[in-house]
Amino acid sequence: MPVIRTVGRAARQLLQSSGCGCGIPAVPVRCIGVSPRQVASDAAFHSVTFSESDHPRVLITGGLGQLGVGLAKLLRKRFGKNNVILSDIRKPADNVFYSGPFIFADILDYKNLREIVVNNRITWLFHYSALLSAVGEANVPLARAVNITGLHNVLDIAAEHNLRLFVPSTIGAFGPTSPRDPTPDLCIQRPRTIYGVSKVHAELMGEYYHYRYGLDFRCLRYPGIISADSQPGGGTTDYAVKIFHDAIKTGKFKCYLRPDTRLPMMYIDDCLKATLEVMEAPAEALTMRTYNISAMSFTPEELAQEVQKYVPELQMTYNVDQVRQAIADSWPMNFDDSNARRDWGWKHDYDLPELVTTMFSYLGSDSRIAQAN
């Protein structure tokens, strides 16, 4: 934990209430020798550690994105429904709201986020709030606020309350000067998107907090994640989700990447399994704080060929989006995840044929698919 200097109660309240009503903090008040986040919590704010309870108490930020709802379902099955709190700044669908605890949490509101952690005795925090690659390029100031300022809030709260913190990283954390085939865990990283820059920042800050303050920080670099129960959210790899929806609805798909653009991909069940496994891994087994994980790597053309086994009349056309294509061309083609496989036994279950079969089993009641089957 950080070395913390004690300040008076009035100063403490001032330091932690310097934000504006919009949820975005104002310039913090500074005191000599005191960081606004390095404030001792009162004895009443003690947070139960994992060793003091049968199960962790989990908070998931940004929980209504592609991964949060599925992760909550997996963790609730393992740790109990009421031990996993899903949070976001958007209104959840009824099925999500009634499936388990849900609360409003704005990661840019440090004071409120800290209260949530304290009042709910959180011990594990999964930080999924972020703007993705293409969306982030369209609104850099917002991406900077959410992806970087929000991360700083989470890091400080996790260090103060001795949480086990998971922050996902991405293939976007690499750049055009990184080795692309394969890309190892440790190499040059010079991303050219605000999303990628913010993720490199998260990796390094998490590692720094681990070595400087003892924070139990854990991070996985996700490849493109494919799932049947979410809509594309503005990522460069989202074509690999949209193709299934369009194949079923119209039998036509227009891809915004070149047909030969190879990127690492993963089915969501493998992604969630890896996330839980790395969080449960003994600390002594981890030789690093950030790991690559991978399952498969394919191009739009190879994916289309697999999809056409179920929808033979699928018409695939290409209208290249130069922004997304430039992003994809700077990313890895294949991940080297040998360290994850060695240190904590990572092993994927889904290759490309299994992925496509599973996606259509969830999405496809269409006559074209029934005839193909």
Side-chain angles (χ1 to χ4, degrees):
M1 287 197 56
V3 177
I4 297 173
R5 296 191 182 189
T6 303
V7 298
R9 177 167 298 177
R12 180 164 62 248
Q13 291 173 345
L14 179 62
L15 288 171
Q16 294 187 21
S17 61
S18 57
C20 65
C22 65
I24 299 176
V27 177
V29 179
R30 297 291 181 183
C31 293
I32 297 175
V34 182
S35 165
R37 298 300 186 253
Q38 292 178 329
V39 179
S41 57
D42 296 331
F45 287 119
H46 172 69
S47 183
V48 177
T49 63
F50 181 57
S51 61
E52 295 172 329
S53 60
D54 294 331
H55 294 301
R57 292 277 296 170
V58 178
L59 174 66
I60 304 172
T61 66
L64 296 184
Q66 183 185 24
L67 299 175
V69 174
L71 179 65
K73 183 178 180 180
L74 177 65
L75 296 178
R76 285 166 178 165
K77 183 177 180 181
R78 188 166 186 84
F79 300 132
K81 175 180 176 180
N82 292 324
N83 284 320
V84 180
I85 301 174
L86 201 61
S87 73
D88 211 306
I89 60 172
R90 295 183 289 133
K91 181 180 178 182
D94 287 348
N95 65 307
V96 174
F97 184 79
Y98 292 110
S99 64
F102 180 91
I103 58 175
F104 174 93
D106 182 353
I107 61 165
L108 297 180
D109 186 341
Y110 173 83
K111 184 176 183 293
N112 177 250
L113 189 62
R114 184 171 182 262
E115 288 174 352
I116 291 170
V117 167
V118 168
N119 292 342
N120 293 282
R121 300 163 63 203
I122 299 301
T123 56
W124 284 15
L125 198 160
F126 293 83
H127 178 53
Y128 278 105
S129 298
L131 264 66
L132 301 183
S133 55
V135 174
E137 290 306 289
N139 194 339
V140 172
L142 181 60
R144 188 174 62 233
V146 173
N147 295 9
I148 296 179
T149 303
L151 169 77
H152 292 178
N153 290 343
V154 167
L155 283 170
D156 288 336
I157 290 168
E160 181 182 0
H161 295 285
N162 195 30
L163 308 185
R164 182 171 296 182
L165 174 64
F166 178 84
V167 179
S169 189
T170 168
I171 55 175
F174 298 97
T177 54
S178 304
R180 299 184 65 211
D181 191 15
T183 303
D185 283 303
L186 300 176
C187 65
I188 189 170
Q189 292 176 255
R190 290 294 184 272
R192 293 183 178 176
T193 66
I194 185 61
Y195 177 58
V197 169
S198 69
K199 287 302 184 181
V200 174
H201 180 76
E203 294 175 13
L204 295 177
M205 287 295 289
E207 186 171 328
Y208 172 77
Y209 268 60
H210 171 70
Y211 289 109
R212 179 68 175 84
Y213 302 129
L215 174 64
D216 191 354
F217 173 84
R218 304 179 184 208
C219 177
L220 296 178
R221 292 192 190 103
Y222 291 155
I225 305 301
I226 302 172
S227 62
D229 56 357
S230 65
Q231 294 295 320
T236 301
T237 59
D238 279 348
Y239 84 87
V241 176
K242 194 170 189 300
I243 187 174
F244 292 97
H245 294 275
D246 288 4
I248 292 172
K249 292 177 182 177
T250 67
K252 300 178 181 179
F253 179 63
K254 183 181 293 184
C255 184
Y256 50 75
L257 297 180
R258 291 193 315 266
D260 62 346
T261 306
R262 183 171 300 279
L263 293 169
M265 300 283 188
M266 178 176 287
Y267 184 58
I268 189 170
D269 284 9
D270 275 340
C271 174
L272 298 179
K273 182 182 77 166
T275 302
L276 177 57
E277 286 179 355
V278 77
M279 283 293 276
E280 290 190 316
E284 60 271 16
L286 304 179
T287 61
M288 55 187 64
R289 291 289 119 185
T290 299
Y291 289 89
N292 293 343
I293 55 167
S294 188
M296 66 192 90
S297 184
F298 56 75
T299 67
E301 185 175 31
E302 291 169 349
L303 177 58
Q305 290 172 357
E306 286 294 327
V307 170
Q308 285 168 341
K309 294 178 181 179
Y310 291 83
V311 186
E313 68 273 29
L314 172 67
Q315 297 177 25
M316 184 83 162
T317 58
Y318 296 89
N319 183 18
V320 176
D321 179 336
Q322 295 301 325
V323 173
R324 288 182 174 181
Q325 186 64 57
I327 292 172
D329 288 342
S330 72
W331 283 359
M333 299 169 65
N334 286 286
F335 259 164
D336 176 0
D337 62 354
S338 56
N339 287 320
R341 293 176 186 268
R342 179 199 65 209
D343 287 359
W344 43 276
W346 162 241
K347 183 179 180 181
H348 70 277
D349 293 326
Y350 292 84
D351 290 316
L352 180 56
E354 291 83 4
L355 163 71
V356 174
T357 298
T358 303
M359 286 292 287
F360 278 124
S361 72
Y362 278 105
L363 296 175
S365 59
D366 187 273
S367 59
R368 291 190 298 268
I369 297 171
Q371 291 171 4
N373 287 333

